[in-house]
Amino acid sequence: MDLTLSPDQIAFRDELRAWLAANAPAPITRGAHESLPQRFEKLRAWQRRLHDAGWAGVAWPKAYGGRGASLIEQVIFLEEMARAQAPPMANTLGLGLIGPTIIHFGNEDQKRRFLPKILSAEEIWCQGFSEPNAGSDVAAIRTEARLDGDAFIVNGHKVWNSYGWIADWCALVVRTDPSAAKHKGLTYILVDMKSPGVEVRPIRQISGESEFAELYFKDVRVPAANVLGKVNQGWEVALGTLMHERATLGASITILYRRSFDRLVELTRQIRRNGRPLSEDPLTRQKLAQAYTELEVFRLNQMRAVSRVSSTGVPGPEGSILKIFWSEFNQRFQQTAQEILGPYGMLEEGSPHSVDDGAWSYGFLRTRGNTIEAGTSEIQRNIIGHFVLGLPKSY
Amino acid sequence: MQFDLSETQQLLAKTARQFLAAECPMPEVRRILETPTAHDASLHRKMAGQGWTGIAIPEDLGGMGLGMIELAATFEQLGRALVPGAFFSTVALAAPLLATAEQLAPLCDGSQTATAAFIEAEADWNPASWQCAARDNQLTGAKMFVPDAAEAAFLLAAARGNGTLGIYRIAKDAPGLEIIPLKSIDLTRRLYEVRFHNTPAEPIVTGPAAGHAIARALDIATLALTAEMAGGMARVLEITVEYAKARKQFDTPIGKFQAVQHMCADMYLWSESSKSAVYYAAYALDKNLPEAASALSVAKLYAADAYREIGNRAIQVHGGMGFTWENDVHLYYRRAKAGETMLGDNVFHRERLAKLVVDRL
Ligand SMILES: Cc1cc2nc3c(=O)[nH]c(=O)nc-3n(C[C@H](O)[C@H](O)[C@H](O)COP(=O)(O)OP(=O)(O)OC[C@H]3O[C@@H](n4cnc5c(N)ncnc54)[C@H](O)[C@@H]3O)c2cc1C
C-alpha cells in the first residue's frame, strides 16, 4: 500500500492546482434568472476552457485528444476540481460512460471521429437504454433495427434520457435479431440525433425541470458503420457502459458533494438557533461529522476501486458498492441539510428567503432519482449478491 | 499509487491467517474464553515468536521495525480469528506508551503482558477528564474498563502529578493495587476496575511529552481496534453467506430470497467500506499526515456502526440458529458491541471530527 504520488504526478497536481486557481469560474448553480439551457452553455464553455488547456480526458489516449495519463491522474484531476470548488464538465455521459466504451470497443475510425468532440464538448451525448417496458431488465428492450443496405433502420421508443434535450449523439441499444435469446440479439449503435425521424419530447420530472426526455425513432437511417462492437453482440458493449456508469458517475458527483458539504458547514455558521450559531449546536455537529465520515469513506472506496482498476484494467461488479454508496449517501445528506435549514430548506428557486436560490429544495427532490438512475439500488444489491458473493440469482 | 496491500504485506497477512487457523481455531477460542482471564500464555508466546508483539516497534528497540499498515494487517487477522486475551492490550495499548528497549523487551519476547489504564468513572476519553492523582510516586484513584488487567505483569496508568498528566508504571504485585473483575458482554476481552490506594508507581513519561505519548498511543490503539473490527466483520459476512447458500427453506437456498440476499449485499458494502477507511487511517498514521486524526475518527465510527449492523444482519439471516450460544456469530457480535465504546464511542469521535472539519481547528 502506497498512496504517495510520483514526482510526475505531483507536478501534474501542482500545475493543475495553479491553473484552477487562476481559471476556475464561480460555481455554476441554479439561479433565478438562468434557465437550464443557459446554465448548460456555461458548463460547456467551462469544459471547453479545460479542454483547450489540456485538462479534459486526462486518462484518454493522446491520439484522440486526451492527455494520455493514467487513472491516477484522473483521480487527482477530480480531487483538485473539488478542492478548487470548480464546476463539473458539461458532457457528463460522453466523458464518463460513452467515451470509455468507445475507447474499449470502438474501431480506429470511430475513435477518431467521436472522441475528440466529446472532450471539446462540441458534441454532447445521451444514453438510449431504457424503454417504457425495459428498465431494470435492460435486455428486454424492443426498439428494433433492420439492416437495409449499408444502414440500419431504427424504430422504437426510449425513455428517461438524460441530456436528451441537448444531445447531438445517442448511444443506443437496439434489437437486431428478434429470434435470438434476450441477450443475444442486441446491438449497440451510435445515432446522430439530427437524423430525420428522431423526435425528442421533454419529460417534466419531480423537480419541475426537464433534465431528461423521451426519444421516438421512426424509420431512422443509421449507417452500419456506427455499430460499436459487433452486430448482435451489443449486450457485452452495453455492460461495459453500465460498469463505467457505476464506477465513474459517482466520481464526478463527488466533486459536487464535497462542495455542498462545505457550503452546508458555512451555512451552519450563519444560521442562529437557540441564541447561538448552529455550528455550535452539539446535535448539528454530530450530523455534520456523520455526513463528513460517509463522504470520506466514499472517497476512499473510490480511490481503492481506481487503484484496483488501474491494475486489472476494467471496473468489476464491486463497482456496485460505489453506486449504492453515493446514491444513498446523497439522500441522507440532503435530509441532513433539510434538518439544518428548517423551513427555509423547502423554498424553491426564485422565492423570497430561499437558501442558495432553492439549491437545497432542488437537491432534496433530485436525490430521489439517485437510487433509480444508473441501475436501482435493488439491482445493485442483486449484482453484489449474485456476482460478488456467489448467492443464487434471485429472479 | 497503490491502495491494496503490497505483495510483502499480503504475504504477512496470509501467513498470519494460516498461523491463526492452525493455532487458534474457533474451538480453541471457545476454550480460552472459558478460562478466568480469557488468555492463553502459550498462544501469546507463539504469537510473539511470529514477531507480532513488536510488529511496529523499531528494530533497535527490539521489534520488527514494520509500520502501521503491517500493524493493521496483523490486527485484521487477529480480529478475524477472534483471538482472545491480552495481546491487544499489550501490543496496542501498553507498548506504544513505552520508549526504551529495556521496557519493551519483556513485551516483545512475549514473556510478559501489560495493559494501559486511562478512563475513569465518567468513561470519558478526553484526557482532561482524568483525575487519578500521583503524589511522591504514589497513585490514588480509580480507573475503569481496563482490559486484561488481571493478566498484566504491569499496568501503565495516566495520572496527574502537580496538575499535569503523566504515565506511570505499576507492578502487578504493588501494595494498594486492587483489580476488580467486571462482567462484560465481550467474552474474549476481560475488563476490570483498577483502584490505587497510595500505590507505588514509577513515572515513565511526565510533562508535555506525556500528552503527546498518550495521543500517539491512543491513535495506534484505535487503528488496531478498527483493523480488528474490519477482520471480524469480514468473517461474519463469510459465515453468513455460507449459511445463506446452505440453508434451505421452501426447497430454496435462503440466499436466493432477495430480503436475505440484500442484507448480505449491505454487509458486503459496510465491510469493504470499513476496510477502505481503516487502511487509509493506517496509511495516514504511518506517514504522519495532518489528516491522520480525522482519518482515525472516520475509521472508528464507520467501522463501529458497520460491525454492529453486520452482526445484526448476520443473526437475522441465521434465524433461530443465530440466537444460540452454539453459533459463533454472537461471539463476534459481543466483540463488536464492546468495541463500539472502547477508545471513544461514536458521539465522542463525531465531536472530535467536528472540531477538525466544522471548526477547522
Ligand atoms: C434521473 C434519471 C436519469 C436517467 N437517465 C437515463 C438515461 O440517460 N438513459 C437511460 O437509458 N435511462 C435513464 N434512466 C432510467 C433508469 O436507468 C431506469 O429508470 C432504471 O433502470 C429503472 O428502470 P424503471 O424505471 O423501468 O423501473 P423498473 O425496472 O420498473 O423498477 C421499478 C422497481 O422495481 C424494482 N425491481 C425491478 N427489477 C427488480 C429485480 N430483479 N429485483 C428487485 N427489484 C427489482 C426496482 O428496483 C424499482 O424499485 C434515468 C432514470 C432517472 C431516474
Side-chain angles (χ1 to χ4, degrees):
Chain A
M1 186 180 180
D2 180 9
L3 303 181
T4 47
L5 302 177
S6 70
D8 282 357
Q9 289 163 345
I10 291 173
F12 170 86
R13 184 198 62 194
D14 291 347
E15 191 191 338
L16 174 59
R17 195 174 285 180
W19 188 87
L20 285 171
N23 291 282
I28 301 171
T29 48
R30 304 162 60 77
H33 307 296
E34 269 182 355
S35 63
L36 183 61
Q38 284 171 322
R39 277 203 308 277
F40 188 85
E41 287 314 318
K42 278 188 166 178
L43 291 176
R44 191 204 294 264
W46 167 230
Q47 180 174 342
R48 225 174 258 149
R49 263 171 69 205
L50 280 162
H51 173 256
D52 292 347
W55 301 115
V58 167
W60 289 22
K62 273 196 176 134
Y64 315 119
R67 201 181 173 95
S70 76
L71 274 178
I72 309 298
E73 275 85 356
Q74 173 64 19
V75 170
I76 297 172
F77 172 79
L78 291 170
E79 295 213 329
E80 289 304 316
M81 290 277 281
R83 218 184 117 93
Q85 307 222 329
M89 290 195 273
N91 208 354
T92 313
L93 301 183
L95 291 163
L97 279 54
I98 297 156
T101 312
I102 295 176
I103 292 173
H104 197 251
F105 292 96
N107 59 36
E108 194 53 33
D109 286 350
Q110 290 168 333
K111 291 182 197 176
R112 289 194 185 282
R113 163 66 191 81
F114 294 114
L115 296 175
K117 291 183 176 176
I118 291 178
L119 294 180
S120 64
E122 202 177 323
E123 290 175 349
I124 301 301
W125 282 75
C126 70
Q127 175 195 12
F129 282 30
S130 308
E131 294 183 6
N133 289 309
S136 298
D137 189 6
V138 193
I141 57 128
R142 289 189 206 151
T143 295
E144 56 151 36
R146 199 168 27 82
L147 193 61
D148 176 31
D150 59 355
F152 280 96
I153 311 296
V154 176
N155 278 287
H157 178 193
K158 296 283 175 180
V159 278
W160 323 125
N161 308 95
S162 307
Y163 302 95
W165 57 276
I166 182 107
D168 304 285
W169 283 85
C170 178
L172 196 70
V173 182
V174 292
R175 188 162 300 282
T176 36
D177 183 357
S179 63
K182 195 155 95 168
H183 296 82
K184 304 278 183 199
L186 302 176
T187 298
Y188 195 116
I189 194 165
L190 311 176
V191 180
D192 184 345
M193 293 286 283
K194 292 176 199 77
S195 313
V198 177
E199 191 196 338
V200 181
R201 292 186 201 160
I203 303 175
R204 194 165 186 213
Q205 64 202 31
I206 192 170
S207 60
E209 269 177 342
S210 298
E211 290 166 316
F212 54 29
E214 52 190 326
L215 312 178
Y216 289 84
F217 297 88
K218 189 155 188 303
D219 294 329
V220 179
R221 260 188 102 77
V222 185
N226 285 9
V227 169
L228 197 61
K230 297 205 177 83
V231 174
N232 293 332
Q233 291 184 21
W235 180 243
E236 193 195 339
V237 188
L239 272 186
T241 299
L242 296 174
M243 294 283 188
H244 282 290
E245 188 173 35
R246 275 169 221 140
T248 64
L249 202 58
S252 48
I253 286 172
T254 320
I255 306 179
L256 303 173
Y257 290 179
R258 186 55 211 252
R259 217 177 61 207
S260 300
F261 176 80
D262 289 344
R263 175 66 188 143
L264 191 60
V265 169
E266 214 176 291
L267 286 168
T268 62
R269 281 191 238 285
Q270 293 160 19
I271 300 168
R272 293 184 70 83
R273 226 168 275 161
N274 296 321
R276 63 179 171 191
L278 264 186
S279 58
E280 290 168 21
D281 165 56
L283 190 53
T284 301
R285 295 166 67 80
Q286 290 281 316
K287 290 177 183 175
L288 289 172
Q290 181 64 31
Y292 176 84
T293 297
E294 294 174 20
L295 190 55
E296 184 65 3
V297 174
F298 176 68
R299 182 181 75 88
L300 298 171
N301 276 343
Q302 182 106 17
M303 203 200 281
R304 190 161 150 228
V306 167
S307 142
R308 187 155 300 167
V309 173
S310 29
S311 47
T312 61
V314 280
E318 53 302 333
S320 287
I321 74 169
L322 299 178
K323 170 68 206 340
I324 297 177
F325 205 121
W326 73 254
S327 56
E328 297 184 355
F329 160 72
N330 204 17
Q331 292 178 348
R332 289 191 293 269
F333 174 69
Q334 292 294 335
Q335 173 59 25
T336 297
Q338 288 294 320
E339 288 165 17
I340 284 170
L341 299 173
Y344 294 94
M346 69 182 160
L347 297 179
E348 297 202 324
E349 185 175 17
S351 164
H353 303 292
S354 69
V355 185
D356 296 336
D357 199 26
W360 298 98
S361 61
Y362 167 80
F364 177 73
L365 291 172
R366 177 62 183 84
T367 52
R368 299 323 307 173
N370 292 160
T371 47
I372 300 166
E373 61 197 317
T376 68
S377 290
E378 292 71 34
I379 293 299
Q380 307 299 344
R381 287 184 169 87
N382 290 344
I383 293 171
I384 293 173
H386 180 60
F387 291 100
V388 181
L389 299 177
L391 293 167
K393 208 167 176 204
S394 63
Y395 53 94
Chain B
M1 193 187 87
Q2 166 64 32
F3 204 110
D4 284 323
L5 295 180
S6 71
E7 267 173 39
T8 359
Q9 288 160 348
Q10 281 178 32
L11 187 67
L12 178 101
K14 194 176 155 206
T15 314
R17 183 183 292 212
Q18 287 167 346
F19 172 91
L20 292 170
E23 299 293 338
C24 192
M26 272 331 263
E28 187 60 8
V29 171
R30 284 182 179 265
R31 184 192 64 77
I32 297 171
L33 61 81
E34 297 290 347
T35 63
T37 56
H39 178 82
D40 184 277
S42 114
L43 173 64
H44 187 83
R45 274 194 302 274
K46 283 186 201 159
M47 293 195 289
Q50 298 290 307
W52 300 346
T53 35
I55 187 127
I57 294 170
E59 278 173 291
D60 57 356
L61 295 181
M64 276 178 94
L66 298 172
M68 290 298 131
I69 295 155
E70 288 82 3
L71 177 118
T74 307
F75 274 99
E76 184 188 343
Q77 295 307 320
L78 291 159
R80 184 188 157 80
L82 204 66
V83 172
F87 184 89
F88 181 91
S89 37
T90 305
V91 177
L93 282 172
L97 290 166
L98 301 174
T100 70
E102 194 196 347
Q103 291 167 342
L104 285 163
L107 300 189
C108 285
D109 69 19
S111 59
Q112 290 186 356
T113 70
T115 191
F118 297 111
I119 56 173
E120 303 178 357
E122 289 176 14
D124 187 345
W125 283 93
N126 181 355
S129 74
W130 304 340
Q131 297 303 326
C132 184
R135 199 168 300 121
D136 304 328
N137 291 339
Q138 290 192 340
L139 302 193
T140 304
K143 294 286 181 183
M144 286 300 294
F145 305 107
V146 183
D148 304 299
E151 194 55 50
F154 61 91
L155 291 85
L156 300 171
R160 232 165 258 286
N162 297 321
T164 63
L165 269 186
I167 299 163
Y168 295 81
R169 184 185 195 278
I170 305 101
K172 186 189 185 67
D173 51 7
L177 172 65
E178 199 183 349
I179 296 176
I180 302 158
L182 308 172
K183 210 162 169 285
S184 156
I185 194 166
D186 182 2
L187 306 169
T188 60
R189 187 172 287 147
R190 295 295 161 85
L191 299 176
Y192 301 85
E193 177 183 358
V194 174
R195 292 191 191 157
F196 305 113
H197 311 274
N198 297 321
T199 310
E202 173 199 350
I204 298 281
V205 201
T206 51
H212 295 294
I214 290 172
R216 173 86 184 159
L218 291 180
D219 281 351
I220 294 174
T222 304
L223 176 65
L225 181 62
T226 58
E228 261 193 10
M229 289 173 157
M233 67 180 92
R235 180 65 192 134
V236 174
L237 168 64
E238 257 175 41
I239 294 172
T240 308
V241 169
E242 277 164 30
Y243 189 78
K245 286 177 186 171
R247 168 75 177 166
K248 285 191 176 164
Q249 282 297 281
F250 305 96
D251 300 321
T252 309
I254 55 165
K256 190 168 159 53
F257 302 128
Q258 273 187 0
V260 170
Q261 193 171 116
H262 289 191
M263 282 197 265
C264 294
D266 281 334
M267 291 163 73
Y268 173 78
L269 182 146
W270 293 323
S271 172
E272 287 299 309
S273 300
S274 299
K275 222 169 159 182
S276 304
V278 168
Y279 278 97
Y280 181 70
Y283 180 79
L285 193 58
D286 195 68
K287 297 275 181 270
N288 264 316
L289 301 183
E291 57 266 38
S294 66
L296 279 162
S297 282
V298 163
K300 175 64 168 59
L301 71 94
Y302 191 88
D305 279 343
Y307 201 178
R308 181 196 61 246
E309 288 306 317
I310 284 174
N312 287 336
R313 302 298 187 281
I315 292 170
Q316 185 68 19
V317 169
H318 277 82
M321 267 311 289
F323 194 66
T324 63
W325 190 266
E326 174 197 342
N327 191 274
D328 289 337
V329 168
H330 79 101
L331 299 176
Y332 287 90
Y333 189 59
R334 290 161 173 273
R335 168 78 70 87
K337 202 68 198 134
E340 219 178 305
T341 56
M342 189 177 195
L343 296 163
D345 66 7
N346 283 5
V347 172
F348 173 89
H349 280 282
R350 282 193 210 101
E351 175 53 32
R352 184 167 176 250
L353 210 44
K355 287 198 175 66
L356 297 165
V357 302
V358 178
D359 307 334
R360 306 222 174 79
L361 291 178

